[in-house]
Amino acid sequence: MAAASATVRVSANNTITASLISKSPLQKPSIFHLCFRNGAAAAQRNRLFSCSAIYNPQIQIKQHGQPETLDYRVFFAEDSGKKVSPWHDIPLNLGDGVFNFIAEIPKESSAKMEVATDEQYTPIKQDTKKGKLRYYPYNINWNYGLLPQTWEDPSLANAEVEGAFGDNDPVDVVEIGESRAKMGQVLKVKPLAALAMIDEGELDWKIVAISLDDPRASLVNDIDDVEKHFPGTLTAIMDWFRDYKIPDGKPANKFGLGNKPANKDYALKVIMETNESWAKLVKRSIPAGDLSLI
């Protein structure tokens, strides 16, 4: 069984250091696959996911500029100071159904923070519209962020979700644990359910997950456990994402798959497929357009 731990330290100069320590993160019985994103060596047997990077466990989170300004960026770097991409360089799969999750928006906040997929090293920044910083009309009630090494291909129509095309972003995660994450924090999570949100015609997956550090993590392993131990949470998540654009005069978002959340197995299927799309992207099998692959 893979073992891993994650710690976060905040220094006096507002530098957050996240340490990821893992043992055999890519191994499961009869399954082995690894890929060196910037190297020539690769080995595989009975593919689980299309590409999982081997990554130095020491990551520093460095803030540039002042929060809630157009210039604010949160960069990820190695101890040497070399910048890395939270989207491309942090591994997705830790084995045994556990994945890395990067927190972009801490729970109970409203600034719409996101990885800048079109900037080198894809730092976290606050989203803008018409040159103005974007905020949700009310706080988001869960930690929100992304699964690294995933991508929703905008050229790929999903026949199971009304033929909707991907939204050109990494897969989003709604983490339902009780603790408030820090922006840029990397957490180990296990997926529990998937929501097929359709936003202005684009497919925008939401994976519902829980941090392994949460006191109730051992109690929830699939969608039915969420309703049992976090009653009403799945409905609340769907309502929040359905309605958050309405105060701005936009129509409500929709959900595919019968307007119901899908179970853990389906969530794992979504993660596998979007990881494969990401692998094609970084191998340049698919045109990157304005996306940064650095």
Side-chain angles (χ1 to χ4, degrees), residues 149-194:
Q149 299 185 345
T150 61
W151 179 56
E152 299 183 50
D153 185 350
S155 69
L156 187 63
N158 192 309
E160 297 178 0
V161 189
E162 302 181 18
F165 292 85
D167 71 348
N168 203 32
D169 281 327
V171 170
D172 296 323
V173 172
V174 183
E175 194 279 312
I176 62 174
E178 65 181 34
S179 296
R180 187 175 192 264
K182 297 179 175 66
M183 190 187 307
Q185 187 173 2
V186 182
L187 298 175
K188 296 176 296 175
V189 301
K190 56 182 178 181
L192 304 169

Side-chain angles (χ1 to χ4, degrees), residues 116-128:
T117 58
D118 59 348
E119 297 183 13
Q120 285 195 353
Y121 303 109
T122 63
I124 295 174
K125 70 170 186 178
Q126 189 166 351
D127 191 21
T128 60

Side-chain angles (χ1 to χ4, degrees), residues 18 33 49 64 75 106 120-121 123 159 190 237 252:
H33 181 90
F49 288 88
H64 291 201
F75 284 95
Q120 285 195 353
Y121 303 109
K190 56 182 178 181
I237 291 172

Side-chain angles (χ1 to χ4, degrees), residues 28 38 68 127 139 184-185 187 235 243 263 274 277-279:
K28 295 182 75 175
N38 296 315
E68 300 188 69
D127 191 21
N139 285 351
Q185 187 173 2
L187 298 175
T235 299
D243 297 340
N263 64 12
T274 55
S277 292
W278 169 84

Side-chain angles (χ1 to χ4, degrees), residues 52-95:
S52 296
I54 302 299
Y55 187 70
N56 187 314
Q58 296 295 326
I59 304 169
Q60 292 185 339
I61 309 302
K62 297 186 176 181
Q63 302 178 49
H64 291 201
Q66 295 298 315
E68 300 188 69
T69 67
L70 293 173
D71 296 329
Y72 182 64
R73 297 291 185 276
V74 177
F75 284 95
F76 290 61
E78 297 175 341
D79 279 347
S80 65
K82 178 180 179 294
K83 290 179 181 177
V84 296
S85 165
W87 180 21
H88 299 309
D89 293 319
I90 292 178
L92 168 66
N93 182 28
L94 294 171

Side-chain angles (χ1 to χ4, degrees), residues 8-30:
V8 175
R9 301 189 304 274
V10 183
S11 66
N13 62 359
N14 287 327
T15 295
I16 303 172
T17 302
S19 299
L20 299 177
I21 304 171
S22 61
K23 297 179 181 179
S24 303
L26 305 176
Q27 286 187 298
K28 295 182 75 175
S30 301

